[in-house]
Amino acid sequence: LLALGNDMSDTLMGKIDIIHYVGGYAFAAGLALRILWLFVGPPTARWRDLLPLTSAQRRIWRETLACYLSGFRRPISPYRGHNAFAGPAYLAFFLIAVAQIALGISLSLMPDSEAMNSPLMVMHEWGFFLLLAFVIVHVALVMAHEIAGRHGLISAMIHGHKGFTESEHQALHADWDAALSVQADPSGGTEELDDITSNNGDVTKTRHE
């Protein structure tokens, strides 16, 4: 739409608009489910995992920033769920995505001539570029963490297990124990810890609190 604009025929523009609307509403549905998952999902998917609330999360945030500034010459700190540095970026993504959806719906309710000349259209286009930039940076950093971190980040998205050395495994459990008071279950108990797989001897350890 941005590349061809007025050079498209009305018929082609109409077909692309339909794809655009369907894609937009599908994106809105997916975003709504992900935001819901922030509150009902497992511990590593909830909103607390996206904010540097604990001392361990803040330490990982600082260490990750130092790693980025060094060009990945410094080691990547191990983490169970989301990297503490990425968490605030995810929240920013959610805010931009919600705004993008609201702008898209507002524009779809306007006459075409009014929508094309509306300031909301300019904001909608900038929202697209911001989301595109997030996707590019996100994928690049995921690949960098996969290669430099050697924790199996991408494969963990499929089977739920990361690989750690024994010392990393112990440090993660210590951090998790310290965070239990923050991630306490509303029912009064604490949520189950997921399996953490150690590279040392290929041992899978499960712990329940």
Side-chain angles (χ1 to χ4, degrees), residues 47-68:
W47 63 270
R48 293 187 184 95
D49 197 53
L50 299 182
L51 293 173
L53 299 175
T54 67
S55 59
Q57 288 173 312
R58 291 189 289 272
R59 172 177 52 77
I60 292 174
W61 194 97
R62 293 190 298 270
E63 292 172 352
T64 302
L65 177 60
C67 175
Y68 290 168

Side-chain angles (χ1 to χ4, degrees), residues 128-144:
F128 162 73
F129 287 116
L130 288 174
L131 293 179
L132 181 62
F134 176 88
V135 170
I136 293 172
V137 173
H138 180 62
V139 171
L141 288 177
V142 165
M143 296 299 297

Side-chain angles (χ1 to χ4, degrees), residues 34-55:
R34 183 61 186 91
I35 292 176
L36 177 63
W37 201 239
L38 288 173
F39 300 94
V40 302
T44 52
R46 293 198 180 188
W47 63 270
R48 293 187 184 95
D49 197 53
L50 299 182
L51 293 173
L53 299 175
T54 67
S55 59

